[in-house]
Amino acid sequence: MYSAEISRMNPTCFLFLVDHSTSMQNPIMGIAGNPKKSEFVADALNKVIQSLVVSASKDMEIRKYYQVGVIGYGFEVKTALGGELANSDLVWIDEIYENPLRIEDRVKKESDGVGGFIEVSTKFPVWVDAVSRGQTPMCAALNKAHEILATWVEEHPQSYPPTVINLTDGEANDGDARVPAELIKSLATEDGNCTILTVHSSSNELSRQIVFPMDVKDMPDHFSRVMFEVSSPLTPKMRATSEELMGTSLEEGAHGLVYNADIAGIVQALEIGTRPANIQL
Amino acid sequence: MKLVWKAFSLCKEGNREEENEDAVYPHLVNGSSLIADQFSCAMADGATTSSFSKLWANLLVKESSQSRAASVDFNQAIIAARASWKAALPDKELPWPTAIKVRQGAFATLMWFHIWQKNGVYPLNTLPPDHGWTANAVGDTCLFQVVKGKFVSTFPFTQAKDFSNTPDLISTNIAYTRSRAGSISGKWQRGDHFLIATDALSEWMIRKLESGTLTWALVSENLTSLVRFQTWIRYLRRQSLIKNDDTSLICLTVDV
């Protein structure tokens, strides 16, 4: 299971659910000077989409290895992709490449090879903007994801199963998120069930970050226990990637949840969830 | 020394033949007989995940096969291939994802094989001085020697468990350091066959060797033509006996 090769014949799907509630305008960890959660999450998501485009790039073309969707949930529940992509829940990765909202000029630091850093100007494609307006209709977003993915798994029975990554800072205020999450997790291809990863960003400086917990008893309160139960156990490949990135091994059963994630936690969780599962060498 | 050359390839199922990233050098007609004091050939397997892997694999096999001087050096061939790399890329502005991929590097395995007889040119520090052969390899493209109809050695891998999805590779990016090269030398006698195969077929052959069921007859009956070879590989894929991957084979026979 979770070993199907990702190819044009058998593509996979990444569906991001992004909390657009008003509280996302608070700084990460509640620390003044940290970026706003909504802005940091949008930036991290744009970088992840860029990585997916690069990984699907082969010679001069972008191969249809992935379909990608971004569902925002706040004052409305709808795709967060804009422009030409605004009418589709799932978009092929080559269409994503061709249709950014804009390409920004940014400056990033790179090693100068002799122990220092140099500033290098770089192009930064933007597909999603930061939004923070409304409540947290997480159940509606999960239900929409279920609707999209139910069709997808039927159409791609031999593919590596879809990965849902839910980026949020709060509790669903439209019901019990475990109910639609179970529906998603019950969807499957021949290669395994759909997986849900949850990246919860904190507003509290004193909150303890909990990374890929093994047991629901590790969680401090009711809300975090719900988030644990919404999330899937990590696949073997995700555990291997997290070991590579974080240097600590995870046992089978570790759940795809980073609770009270700090900046590094958000970035690592996104990479672990989206590192292409099995493109053969 | 008279050598008979055969080389076959089949792209991964679902891909187009022009997307086949295995590379072989030289390009000779199947069944060609060569009379020479020494001969070099090479096979490389471009990595699916990198861009322009086919181009890189082709540069590696060409540079290594053409290293016929007495000072032939595997690392020099890799350096020469890297020197040719930038000029070989498309002469136009690359799309940004392609440019990032090119900066990350192209990757490929490499198997270089050299055979000689008395008076032939052979690498320094390699024994024996006559009727010898040597091979250098990075990655999971394997060499098999068949003596008197029996498989007597495999290189660099000797066990099926050695194969993985992360073989050592040679990169255009010099910062990439997972390129451990291995080498082996030996003697040949008339009638020997040397097979070089990319990983899917090599893994199957080594697994058959481990179970004692690999015979020269089983392999050679499928090397009578390209169509026969491709039919064989498709059969092995359908039976899930080998993975779906670009699959190539060189068969070099020291003719009697």
Side-chain angles (χ1 to χ4, degrees):
Chain A
M1 302 298 263
Y2 301 106
S3 59
E5 186 194 351
I6 298 168
S7 65
R8 286 166 291 185
M9 274 188 351
N10 291 309
T12 194
C13 173
F14 294 102
L15 186 52
F16 300 93
L17 309 181
V18 187
D19 186 343
H20 282 173
S21 61
T22 306
S23 58
M24 289 290 283
Q25 63 186 277
N26 298 328
I28 294 176
M29 310 291 287
I31 300 171
N34 267 359
K36 289 179 181 176
K37 285 183 280 188
S38 57
E39 289 174 0
F40 187 78
V41 162
D43 239 30
L45 200 48
N46 284 316
K47 283 180 191 156
V48 162
I49 294 172
Q50 181 178 334
S51 294
L52 289 173
V53 170
V54 171
S55 74
S57 154
K58 185 70 182 172
D59 301 350
M60 300 296 275
E61 63 172 328
I62 307 295
R63 291 188 174 176
K64 290 182 188 293
Y65 287 147
Y66 321 115
Q67 282 188 292
V68 176
V70 184
I71 308 294
Y73 56 99
F75 71 100
E76 57 185 354
V77 178
K78 66 185 279 283
T79 180
L81 294 168
E84 297 289 316
L85 308 177
N87 296 322
S88 308
D89 290 326
L90 286 181
V91 185
W92 283 107
I93 194 72
D94 57 334
E95 294 167 40
I96 290 210
Y97 159 67
E98 284 163 9
N99 294 286
L101 287 172
R102 60 189 176 278
I103 295 183
E104 295 179 356
D105 288 311
R106 295 199 180 181
V107 175
K108 69 172 182 178
K109 285 185 177 173
E110 279 190 0
S111 165
D112 62 4
V114 287
F117 291 94
I118 48 170
E119 290 195 333
V120 178
S121 69
T122 181
K123 300 285 181 195
F124 188 84
V126 173
W127 288 275
V128 292
D129 277 321
V131 179
S132 49
R133 183 177 149 213
Q135 299 212 328
T136 312
M138 192 187 298
C139 292
L142 288 165
N143 276 319
K144 187 168 178 63
H146 173 254
E147 184 187 315
I148 294 165
L149 297 179
T151 308
W152 196 92
V153 295
E154 256 183 44
E155 291 171 351
H156 302 88
Q158 295 179 314
S159 284
Y160 184 92
T163 307
V164 177
I165 301 180
N166 183 21
L167 297 134
T168 182
D169 76 337
E171 197 166 350
N173 54 21
D174 62 344
D176 185 344
R178 290 173 291 193
V179 177
E182 281 309 313
L183 292 175
I184 293 172
K185 290 190 280 184
S186 69
L187 297 172
T189 66
E190 292 165 17
D191 192 48
N193 289 71
C194 294
T195 52
I196 302 179
L197 270 69
T198 308
V199 186
H200 169 266
S201 53
S202 174
S203 298
N204 185 346
E205 187 178 354
L206 299 175
S207 305
R208 182 172 63 94
Q209 179 172 255
I210 301 173
V211 182
F212 305 134
M214 285 292 295
D215 195 314
V216 71
K217 291 178 193 151
D218 298 338
M219 308 312 294
D221 52 30
H222 173 72
F223 167 59
S224 59
R225 286 192 281 275
V226 169
M227 288 291 95
F228 179 93
E229 286 168 355
V230 160
S231 311
S232 306
L234 293 171
T235 65
K237 179 72 182 178
M238 288 174 184
R239 292 205 309 275
T241 305
S242 59
E243 193 172 335
E244 186 187 322
L245 292 177
M246 303 189 310
T248 50
S249 62
L250 292 172
E251 287 176 36
E252 190 174 347
H255 271 55
L257 167 64
V258 181
Y259 191 71
N260 292 327
D262 59 17
I263 287 173
I266 294 171
V267 172
Q268 283 180 345
L270 281 168
E271 178 158 2
I272 288 162
T274 55
R275 180 82 67 94
N278 189 24
I279 293 182
Q280 220 168 64
L281 287 169
Chain B
M1 176 176 67
K2 184 179 172 190
L3 301 167
V4 178
W5 167 271
K6 288 180 183 175
F8 308 101
S9 192
L10 179 64
C11 70
K12 180 178 180 167
E13 186 74 37
N15 281 8
R16 299 185 297 272
E17 193 53 54
E18 63 267 27
E19 293 173 339
N20 188 336
E21 294 174 315
D22 287 353
V24 166
Y25 201 88
H27 302 140
L28 299 172
V29 174
N30 274 352
S32 299
S33 288
L34 310 150
I35 295 174
D37 288 333
Q38 72 275 330
F39 177 75
S40 286
C41 63
M43 179 179 283
D45 178 355
T48 308
T49 44
S50 61
S51 275
F52 302 110
S53 309
K54 182 188 175 87
L55 178 66
W56 177 232
N58 275 306
L59 286 172
L60 285 171
V61 292
K62 194 171 174 188
E63 290 294 344
S64 53
S65 302
Q66 289 181 340
S67 303
R68 291 181 185 182
S71 61
V72 65
D73 184 290
F74 190 62
N75 290 322
Q76 287 299 324
I78 294 169
I79 291 165
R82 283 201 184 110
S84 313
W85 166 245
K86 277 194 178 162
L89 287 169
D91 186 20
K92 57 182 174 183
E93 192 177 346
L94 301 175
W96 64 261
T98 310
I100 291 174
K101 270 274 177 86
V102 168
R103 278 202 298 277
Q104 290 171 349
F107 298 84
T109 68
L110 178 61
M111 167 65 73
W112 170 77
F113 177 78
H114 185 75
I115 185 168
W116 64 92
Q117 66 173 3
K118 197 172 181 184
N119 303 323
V121 175
Y122 61 95
L124 292 175
N125 307 319
T126 308
L127 292 171
D130 63 350
H131 297 87
W133 60 269
T134 189
N136 285 270
V138 173
D140 55 11
T141 299
C142 293
L143 170 75
F144 301 79
Q145 185 180 12
V146 182
V147 177
K148 296 191 167 109
K150 287 201 165 57
F151 285 83
V152 296
S153 64
T154 67
F155 168 76
F157 288 180
T158 55
Q159 304 174 89
K161 69 175 186 189
D162 293 336
F163 291 88
S164 74
N165 276 337
T166 53
D168 280 4
L169 299 163
I170 302 169
S171 179
T172 55
N173 182 347
I174 54 170
Y176 182 81
T177 52
R178 273 196 58 203
S179 306
R180 291 166 300 176
S183 67
I184 188 172
S185 298
K187 289 202 79 157
W188 57 264
Q189 25 185 317
R190 285 187 158 193
D192 283 4
H193 307 280
F194 293 92
L195 304 180
I196 299 173
T198 45
D199 57 319
L201 187 54
S202 285
E203 185 178 4
W204 177 81
M205 288 167 64
I206 289 177
R207 212 180 312 118
K208 295 282 282 181
L209 272 174
E210 287 174 340
S211 64
T213 54
L214 185 68
T215 62
W216 170 239
L218 174 66
V219 176
S220 64
E221 69 181 9
N222 293 298
L223 307 183
T224 52
S225 69
L226 177 61
V227 171
R228 183 70 187 256
F229 173 81
Q230 293 185 335
T231 304
W232 178 45
I233 299 303
R234 287 193 183 101
Y235 167 79
L236 294 175
R237 286 177 186 167
R238 274 199 308 277
Q239 301 295 315
S240 300
L241 295 172
I242 66 172
K243 66 179 179 182
N244 179 25
D245 195 5
D246 296 335
T247 303
S248 301
L249 178 94
I250 292 172
C251 175
L252 196 66
T253 302
V254 188
D255 203 8
V256 287

